Amino acid sequence: MTTDHRDWHDDSAYTDAVQRAERATRFGWTAITATTATLGCALIAAIALCAGAVLAGIYLWMTGLTG
């Protein structure tokens, strides 16, 4: 008969799995946050460029420099 030295109540494998899952979840949320922030900055930059182009066009139109 083989003896298993692990206790019947040994939850170390479960605890390790939970810790790995928590680390993966934290990494996932960090990746989502970084992606969202990057896309938000790109959106703000695109809006600023469009607004600048519109304002430049209005300026040129008002000063009569467009021909």
Side-chain angles (χ1 to χ4, degrees):
M1 179 172 184
T2 17
T3 59
D4 190 3
H5 295 290
R6 292 183 354 164
D7 186 30
W8 186 78
H9 296 289
D10 183 19
D11 289 338
S12 62
Y14 171 78
T15 304
D16 291 343
V18 169
Q19 289 173 348
R20 284 192 308 273
E22 288 173 349
R23 279 194 301 267
T25 301
R26 281 193 303 272
F27 176 77
W29 279 113
T30 301
I32 290 169
T33 302
T35 302
T36 303
T38 302
L39 291 174
C41 288
L43 179 64
I44 290 169
I47 290 171
L49 285 174
C50 290
V54 168
L55 290 176
I58 290 172
Y59 173 77
L60 291 175
W61 176 67
M62 295 295 287
T63 58
L65 297 175
T66 57

